[in-house]
Amino acid sequence: MLCVPQFAVLPFGTIFLHDEGQLSPAVIATAMVALQICASALRIWSRHWTDQRGNRKSYLRGCMVLSALLFARLAATSALHMGSSATLALLLVLCGAAISAGMAWLMQNWPPVPVQRRQALPWACATPWCLCLLTPQAVAALLPRVSWEAIWLMAAAFSLLAWPLLGRKP
């Protein structure tokens, strides 16, 4: 589920910043590079931090909630024209970084239900990649029919849909 918002931001963030933010290609490229650098750094840091504390599920839940709030804020800011182009770019970078921060743990611990050992690898590989493949297709199909705000609100909803897959709190 967390692949959906991540793969909505990565391919369509540039289009959003161009269409809604009226930003130059150089500024858009800088924002997307910042998003990738922040996401990479957060993945490395979060892995180390959660290893020391043994709190990966709690951390991932926090990433889900933060991502949902940031995507909702991005949708509201865009819909209400509350912020500048720089604000939109910053919010997009924060959304992408927050949703990407917990993905390393998820990829290693999928599926959430016990399966036979021989079935774990196909599930771990197929599910996220299918969502990564389908998300850009779905967003591209929806964009002519809905607003950017609706896309970002769907990303917020998908950020929270993964919650039950983590099981009970420790």
Side-chain angles (χ1 to χ4, degrees):
M1 293 298 159
L2 296 181
C3 292
V4 172
Q6 186 177 8
F7 275 78
V9 165
L10 294 177
F12 291 97
T14 55
I15 299 167
F16 170 75
L17 291 176
H18 177 269
D19 291 354
E20 296 294 309
Q22 303 294 311
L23 295 167
S24 71
V27 174
I28 293 169
T30 302
M32 296 309 286
V33 167
L35 187 158
Q36 293 289 5
I37 290 171
C38 289
S40 298
L42 276 173
R43 282 182 181 167
I44 293 166
W45 173 83
S46 65
R47 181 66 183 213
H48 175 73
W49 191 76
T50 58
D51 276 351
Q52 289 180 338
R53 287 159 184 76
N55 64 345
R56 284 203 181 102
K57 285 186 180 183
S58 297
Y59 176 80
L60 192 55
R61 282 186 179 94
C63 288
M64 289 179 196
V65 171
L66 178 61
S67 297
L69 292 172
L70 286 168
F71 276 112
R73 176 63 190 258
L74 179 62
T77 301
S78 177
L80 301 174
H81 306 288
M82 296 185 323
S84 65
S85 298
T87 303
L88 290 177
L90 177 62
L91 280 169
L92 188 81
V93 169
L94 293 174
C95 287
I99 197 64
S100 300
M103 289 302 295
W105 181 87
L106 257 179
M107 295 296 280
Q108 292 175 351
N109 292 286
W110 183 260
V113 295
V115 294
Q116 294 178 356
R117 183 175 287 268
R118 68 180 182 277
Q119 295 174 335
L121 186 57
W123 273 104
C125 293
T127 305
W129 288 112
C130 285
L131 289 171
C132 293
L133 172 72
L134 295 175
T135 298
Q137 305 304 317
V139 172
L142 286 171
L143 265 175
R145 296 171 183 84
V146 302
S147 65
W148 280 109
E149 294 78 27
I151 297 295
W152 302 136
L153 288 174
M154 286 183 230
F158 270 93
S159 297
L160 296 177
L161 283 173
W163 191 285
L165 298 176
L166 290 177
R168 295 182 174 192
K169 284 188 174 181

